[in-house]
C-alpha cells in the first residue's frame, strides 16, 4: 500500500509569462504554488494588476491533499471552454496546491468553443511543462514538555524521527515545538509517552 496520504505532488516555484499565440489572440500562462485562500487571492490579484487590459483572466486551482478544494473559472469565456481545460491539466499532472491562470488578449478573430478549449488546454499544458514537479511530505507540529535534564534524550529521539525544531524554550520545565512528518506521528507519540515526566501533544 502506498502511503499517499502523507505526501502530495505540487510545483516547486512559480512559472510566469508563457506565451501562446492563436489567430491574433495572445494567451499568457502562469502557475503558482498556493496552499490556502489567502495565497490564491494574492496571486489572482497580482495578475489582474499586471494585466488590467486583458480580455479574460481564466483560471483553475486545486488545493488540499486530494485536491478536494477546487474551482475552474471561465471569466466570461463560453462555459467550459477555459477553466475546465486548465483544470484538466492539473489533473493530468496529478498535482495539487497549484493555481494556473491563463490571461487572454483578444486578437479580433473568434476561435469558437472547440478552438478555445484546445488553446486554453495548450497554454496550461505549456506552462506546467516548464514547472518542476516535486513531492512534498505532510508535516505536523508537535509540542513536547519535559524536565530540562531530559533534553539529550528528547533531542536524540526527535532527530531519530528526522524532526525539525521550530522553537526550544529551555526553562526548568522545557518546551520544544518541532515539525515532524505526519507519517511518523503515531511512532513518535508512542516513543515519547513511554518516557517519564514527558508530555506531548500535536498542535494541528
Amino acid at each position: 500500500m502506498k502511503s499517499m496520504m502523507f505526501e502530495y505532488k505540487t510545483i516547486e516555484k512559480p512559472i510566469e509569462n508563457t506565451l501562446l499565440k492563436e489567430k491574433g489572440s495572445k494567451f499568457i500562462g502562469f502557475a503558482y504554488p498556493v496552499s490556502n485562500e489567502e495565497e490564491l487571492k494574492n496571486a489572482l490579484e497580482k495578475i489582474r494588476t499586471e494585466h488590467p487590459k486583458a480580455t479574460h483572466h481564466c483560471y483553475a486551482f486545486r488545493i488540499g491533499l486530494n485536491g478536494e478544494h477546487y474551482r475552474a473559472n471561465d471569466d466570461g469565456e463560453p462555459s467550459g471552454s477555459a477553466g475546465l481545460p486548465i483544470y484538466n491539466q492539473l489533473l493530468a499532472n496529478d498535482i495539487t496546491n497549484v493555481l494556473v491562470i491563463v490571461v487572454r488578449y483578444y486578437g479580433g478573430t473568434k476561435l469558437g468553443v472547440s478552438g478555445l478549449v484546445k488553446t486554453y488546454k495548450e497554454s496550461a499544458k505549456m506552462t506546467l511543462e516548464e514547472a518542476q514537479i516535486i513531492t512534498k511530505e505532510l508535516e505536523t507540529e508537535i509540542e513536547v514538555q519535559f524536565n530540562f535534564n531530559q533534553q539529550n534524550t528528547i533531542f536524540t529521539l526527535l532527530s531519530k524521527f528526522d524532526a525539525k525544531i521550530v522553537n526550544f524554550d529551555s526553562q526548568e520545565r522545557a518546551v520544544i515545538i518541532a515539525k515532524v512528518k505526519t507519517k511518523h506521528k503515531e511512532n513518535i507519540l508512542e516513543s515519547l509517552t513511554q518516557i517519564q515526566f514527558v508530555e506531548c501533544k500535536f498542535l494541528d
Side-chain angles (χ1 to χ4, degrees):
M1 178 187 146
K2 285 201 300 186
S3 63
M4 264 321 281
M5 293 151 30
F6 300 128
E7 55 183 48
Y8 61 92
K9 290 199 317 193
T10 189
I11 61 173
E12 187 182 23
K13 53 179 193 288
I15 300 294
E16 299 185 309
N17 298 308
T18 61
L19 178 63
L20 182 64
K21 290 180 176 164
E22 184 65 38
K23 293 187 178 158
S25 280
K26 282 199 310 190
F27 294 81
I28 308 167
F30 301 84
Y32 295 99
V34 290
S35 46
N36 53 46
E37 278 289 337
E38 185 80 0
E39 292 173 9
L40 190 70
K41 283 199 185 96
N42 291 345
L44 284 166
E45 204 46 54
K46 171 175 159 8
I47 300 304
R48 288 197 179 110
T49 310
E50 284 175 18
H51 293 275
K53 295 194 164 71
T55 329
H56 305 280
H57 295 89
C58 306
Y59 65 89
F61 65 80
R62 293 182 82 202
I63 293 180
L65 196 45
N66 303 304
E68 56 273 8
H69 183 42
Y70 62 90
R71 190 175 317 132
N73 186 317
D74 295 313
D75 192 38
E77 292 281 32
S79 177
S81 70
L84 203 56
I86 299 172
Y87 177 70
N88 284 335
Q89 288 307 302
L90 294 173
L91 293 182
N93 284 283
D94 189 25
I95 50 178
T96 187
N97 287 11
V98 180
L99 162 71
V100 174
I101 308 167
V102 178
V103 170
R104 179 188 184 191
Y105 286 89
Y106 182 56
T109 307
K110 286 199 184 322
L111 298 180
V113 171
S114 63
L116 288 172
V117 169
K118 195 166 144 296
T119 314
Y120 278 106
K121 172 195 167 175
E122 196 50 45
S123 178
K125 186 168 184 264
M126 257 172 60
T127 305
L128 290 171
E129 275 167 2
E130 282 192 26
Q132 181 77 36
I133 293 178
I134 55 171
T135 298
K136 281 199 161 181
E137 294 200 64
L138 283 192
E139 293 185 322
T140 304
E141 281 203 344
I142 187 172
E143 181 188 278
V144 190
Q145 294 189 22
F146 51 94
N147 291 339
F148 187 71
N149 61 5
Q150 295 176 293
Q151 67 169 347
N152 285 351
T153 314
I154 301 297
F155 274 109
T156 306
L157 193 138
L158 287 175
S159 75
K160 188 182 113 180
F161 285 106
D162 197 21
K164 295 198 273 292
I165 308 296
V166 179
N167 193 19
F168 177 35
D169 187 8
S170 55
Q171 308 297 318
E172 194 54 42
R173 180 84 179 141
V175 180
I176 280 179
I177 292 177
K179 272 192 187 328
V180 297
K181 296 199 169 96
T182 309
K183 65 179 176 192
H184 295 322
K185 200 169 169 172
E186 299 305 316
N187 295 344
I188 202 163
L189 193 61
E190 199 178 325
S191 307
L192 284 167
T193 46
Q194 284 171 7
I195 309 170
Q196 214 180 352
F197 312 123
V198 172
E199 294 168 54
C200 62
K201 63 171 189 243
F202 288 100
L203 300 177
D204 44 22

